[in-house]
Amino acid sequence: HAPFYGFVFEVNEHTLIPRPETKELVNLITRQEKYRKRAQVLDIGTGSGCIAISLAKKIPYAKVESMDISTEALAVAQRNAEKLDANVVFTRGDILNWCKWEGESKSYDVIVSNPPYITPMEKLEMSNQVLDHEPHSALFVEESDPLIFYREIAAFAAQHLAPDGVL
């Protein structure tokens, strides 16, 4: 279990352990969104669900969706949402193939993600606690294309972000 944003989340080998920097991201979104009357939010690569669930709890009028490629991570996120009484819709999807994802026809006011960005060369500098206990698919990208997830998320947002939306 790991604390995050005033809540306690189940984490396991299928999810990342929430980082303090991620709390800053949630703070930024909640500050920006407090003036809206509605918000359709999408969390891409949800893992434990800590971002989506925290946003659902802190922005009560928001409709929060969350996607991940890992069915095991989605199961953890669903348990966290149930335990914390958060209204989040979880779906399986691969942002690298977003044209095939069932949610791809919607428009979102907020799209948020903490995607993989670490190259294999950087493994040498990482703690064994991270390397041994967190899913490599949520951490690492190919050395030759470290921005692949950012590029695909930006392409998705170009098609599905509301006119006054934020990425």
Side-chain angles (χ1 to χ4, degrees):
H1 291 87
F4 181 79
Y5 215 74
F7 307 108
V8 177
F9 288 86
E10 174 189 340
V11 294
N12 64 21
E13 69 275 9
H14 303 292
T15 66
L16 295 179
I17 298 166
R19 308 291 199 276
E21 298 83 4
T22 307
K23 181 181 175 187
E24 293 175 28
L25 179 62
V26 173
N27 275 334
L28 176 67
I29 295 168
T30 55
R31 279 196 311 271
Q32 289 178 338
E33 296 306 305
K34 68 181 176 183
Y35 300 108
R36 286 188 197 256
K37 302 272 190 254
R38 61 163 185 83
Q40 187 74 34
V41 178
L42 174 64
D43 175 25
I44 299 171
T46 198
S48 68
C50 67
I51 293 173
I53 293 167
S54 297
L55 291 173
K57 296 293 284 182
K58 297 296 181 177
I59 309 171
Y61 57 83
K63 293 183 180 176
V64 181
E65 285 183 54
S66 209
M67 67 169 302
D68 203 292
I69 195 168
S70 167
T71 54
E72 294 88 356
L74 287 169
V76 172
Q78 184 65 52
R79 287 194 298 273
N80 282 326
E82 289 168 3
K83 182 181 118 198
L84 296 169
D85 193 30
N87 188 14
V88 179
V89 175
F90 296 99
T91 58
R92 187 175 184 284
D94 179 359
I95 195 60
L96 298 181
N97 292 301
W98 59 266
C99 290
K100 297 178 183 174
W101 179 52
E102 64 187 55
E104 66 91 17
S105 64
K106 294 182 181 176
S107 176
Y108 298 95
D109 301 298
V110 177
I111 298 174
V112 60
S113 183
N114 184 16
Y117 59 88
I118 303 168
T119 62
M121 285 183 56
E122 294 173 281
K123 283 183 184 181
L124 301 173
E125 302 170 18
M126 295 182 70
S127 153
N128 282 342
Q129 180 178 344
V130 172
L131 292 173
D132 294 343
H133 301 289
E134 294 186 294
H136 286 206
S137 63
L139 293 168
F140 299 106
V141 292
E142 294 294 325
E143 197 76 45
S144 61
D145 197 4
L147 299 178
I148 187 170
F149 287 95
Y150 289 90
R151 193 171 48 257
E152 289 301 318
I153 291 166
F156 177 87
Q159 299 274 329
H160 301 287
L161 196 59
D164 61 344
V166 294
L167 171 62

